Short mmCIF file of all heavy atoms in Angstrom, two decimals:
data_model
loop_
_atom_site.label_atom_id
_atom_site.label_comp_id
_atom_site.label_asym_id
_atom_site.label_seq_id
_atom_site.Cartn_x
_atom_site.Cartn_y
_atom_site.Cartn_z
N GLU A 6 18.79 54.71 -69.57
CA GLU A 6 17.37 54.43 -69.63
C GLU A 6 16.61 55.44 -70.48
O GLU A 6 15.54 55.17 -70.97
CB GLU A 6 16.77 54.39 -68.22
CG GLU A 6 16.98 55.69 -67.47
CD GLU A 6 16.61 55.55 -66.01
OE1 GLU A 6 16.73 54.44 -65.47
OE2 GLU A 6 16.20 56.56 -65.43
N GLU A 20 27.14 64.48 -66.63
CA GLU A 20 26.14 65.49 -66.32
C GLU A 20 24.85 65.17 -67.06
O GLU A 20 24.85 64.55 -68.12
CB GLU A 20 26.65 66.87 -66.74
CG GLU A 20 27.82 67.34 -65.92
CD GLU A 20 28.31 68.68 -66.41
OE1 GLU A 20 28.11 69.02 -67.58
OE2 GLU A 20 28.90 69.38 -65.59
N VAL A 22 22.79 67.21 -68.55
CA VAL A 22 22.54 68.03 -69.75
C VAL A 22 23.61 67.69 -70.77
O VAL A 22 24.78 67.82 -70.51
CB VAL A 22 22.59 69.53 -69.40
CG1 VAL A 22 22.34 70.36 -70.64
CG2 VAL A 22 21.58 69.84 -68.32
N ASN A 35 30.40 74.72 -75.96
CA ASN A 35 31.59 75.12 -75.21
C ASN A 35 31.34 76.39 -74.42
O ASN A 35 31.78 76.52 -73.28
CB ASN A 35 32.76 75.31 -76.16
CG ASN A 35 33.28 74.00 -76.68
OD1 ASN A 35 33.06 72.97 -76.05
ND2 ASN A 35 33.93 74.03 -77.82
N ALA A 37 28.51 77.53 -73.24
CA ALA A 37 27.64 77.26 -72.11
C ALA A 37 28.34 76.45 -71.04
O ALA A 37 28.14 76.66 -69.85
CB ALA A 37 26.40 76.53 -72.60
N GLN A 41 31.92 81.23 -70.77
CA GLN A 41 32.82 82.24 -71.27
C GLN A 41 32.03 83.34 -71.95
O GLN A 41 31.44 83.15 -72.99
CB GLN A 41 33.78 81.60 -72.25
CG GLN A 41 35.00 82.41 -72.53
CD GLN A 41 35.96 81.64 -73.39
OE1 GLN A 41 35.56 80.91 -74.28
NE2 GLN A 41 37.23 81.79 -73.12
N GLN A 42 32.00 84.50 -71.33
CA GLN A 42 31.33 85.67 -71.88
C GLN A 42 32.34 86.81 -71.90
O GLN A 42 33.02 87.07 -70.92
CB GLN A 42 30.14 86.06 -71.02
CG GLN A 42 29.05 85.03 -70.97
CD GLN A 42 28.27 84.98 -72.27
OE1 GLN A 42 28.10 86.00 -72.91
NE2 GLN A 42 27.81 83.80 -72.64
N TYR A 48 35.28 95.01 -76.56
CA TYR A 48 35.27 95.11 -78.01
C TYR A 48 35.21 96.57 -78.46
O TYR A 48 35.87 96.96 -79.41
CB TYR A 48 34.09 94.33 -78.59
CG TYR A 48 34.26 92.85 -78.44
CD1 TYR A 48 33.58 92.14 -77.46
CD2 TYR A 48 35.12 92.15 -79.28
CE1 TYR A 48 33.75 90.78 -77.32
CE2 TYR A 48 35.30 90.80 -79.16
CZ TYR A 48 34.60 90.11 -78.17
OH TYR A 48 34.78 88.77 -78.03
N LEU A 132 79.68 93.28 -101.08
CA LEU A 132 80.88 92.59 -101.56
C LEU A 132 81.05 92.77 -103.07
O LEU A 132 82.18 92.92 -103.55
CB LEU A 132 80.81 91.11 -101.23
CG LEU A 132 81.01 90.76 -99.75
CD1 LEU A 132 80.94 89.26 -99.55
CD2 LEU A 132 82.34 91.28 -99.25
N ARG A 133 79.98 92.77 -103.83
CA ARG A 133 80.09 93.00 -105.27
C ARG A 133 80.61 94.40 -105.57
O ARG A 133 81.36 94.60 -106.52
CB ARG A 133 78.74 92.79 -105.95
CG ARG A 133 78.39 91.35 -106.08
CD ARG A 133 77.13 91.19 -106.84
NE ARG A 133 76.81 89.79 -106.99
CZ ARG A 133 75.79 89.36 -107.68
NH1 ARG A 133 74.99 90.20 -108.26
NH2 ARG A 133 75.57 88.07 -107.78
#
Side-chain angles (χ1 to χ4, degrees):
E6 58 191 29
E20 293 178 335
V22 180
N35 288 337
Q41 197 174 37
Q42 296 286 327
Y48 290 102
L132 287 180
R133 284 185 179 184

